[in-house]
Amino acid sequence: MVKAIATHLGSALIQAEAYANLEDLNQQLEALDRTRSNLIAITGHELRTPLSTIQVCLESLSTEPDMPAELRQVMLNTALSDSERMRKLVQDFLTLSNLESGRVEWHPESLTLKECIDLSLSRVNTRVVQEELPEITTDVAKKLPLVKADGDWLVEVLAKLIDNACKFTPSGGQIKISAHLNKQHMVEVTVADTGRGIEPNRLEVVFDRFYQEEGALRRTAGGTGLGLAICRQIVIGWGGEIWAKSLGKDQGSEFHFTIPVFEGSQGQKRSKVNSN
Ligand code: ADP
């Protein structure tokens, strides 16, 4: 009799566990569905806004042949910059989607971090619209070991963080790029600026897709809101971590990320970073 009750209780427990698992699965599927719908809504909105502007500009240009030359130029420039914004958005969106779904080929190699920093700095001038860049200094620890990462993606992360630091730091400010070997035996890179800073409760959401703080800078800064989400996927790809710290309002921000050390023969260097 006792044995029969125990068996009955056992199967009831298994059933209850199965229901709980099913419930859990259902909740996960619902959450996934909500994410998908949000993503479609946000992407649609982000694309519709520049598209509407382009349409208005082109309609005005085609229906008002006597439009003053100056105004015509303004219309053309607006249409061009909004189409560039759409191109960037689609490109970033595809990059992020490829990274998230594992459709990216990784080519890990041994790299000298200093070279990668120099290469990303040479790209900043061409990517940042600001007239006068803040002062940029570097402080890379001597005898830093080689790192193991995909060079092109590493330069992409560095360039993006430096771009952001430039965008959100007024001229006269400073940006410092530093690197050292941390306690976990990973190379830790920091991009610190003296710009507007990030609210403490925003330090994690800045890595979410399409997160952009509302305000005057939103459009003029010209970003897509996908840059940090892309950086996070890249860093996760080589087994590192990325996080942000705020130094207080208008005191600046710090972005940190880690890269594994290349455990091969010391001094060997095989830099295949694409310098184009
Ligand atoms: P984007 O720069 O294209 O807007 P990102 O994903 O690179 O998108 O950044 C998301 C948001 O995080 C920015 O819009 C900004 O609000 C905030 N942010 C990023 N970097 C900094 C920084 N160095 N200082 C202050 N805020 C920053």
Side-chain angles (χ1 to χ4, degrees), residues 160 164-165 167-168 193 196-198 206 211-213 223-229 253 255:
K160 179 63 203 163
N164 276 356
K167 270 195 313 196
F168 299 110
D193 64 59
R196 69 175 196 198
I198 300 170
V206 290
Y211 173 81
Q212 287 187 313
E213 205 166 304
T224 60
L226 293 171
L228 289 178
S253 327
F255 282 83

Side-chain angles (χ1 to χ4, degrees), residues 165 169 174-178 190-195 247 252-255:
T169 304
Q174 279 126 36
I175 295 170
K176 186 172 172 183
I177 306 153
S178 51
T190 305
V191 178
D193 64 59
T194 57
L247 307 175
S253 327
E254 280 182 10
F255 282 83

Side-chain angles (χ1 to χ4, degrees), residues 214-233:
E214 289 302 326
L217 266 169
R218 188 188 150 95
R219 291 283 165 218
T220 49
T224 60
L226 293 171
L228 289 178
I230 291 176
C231 289
R232 179 171 58 184
Q233 284 304 320

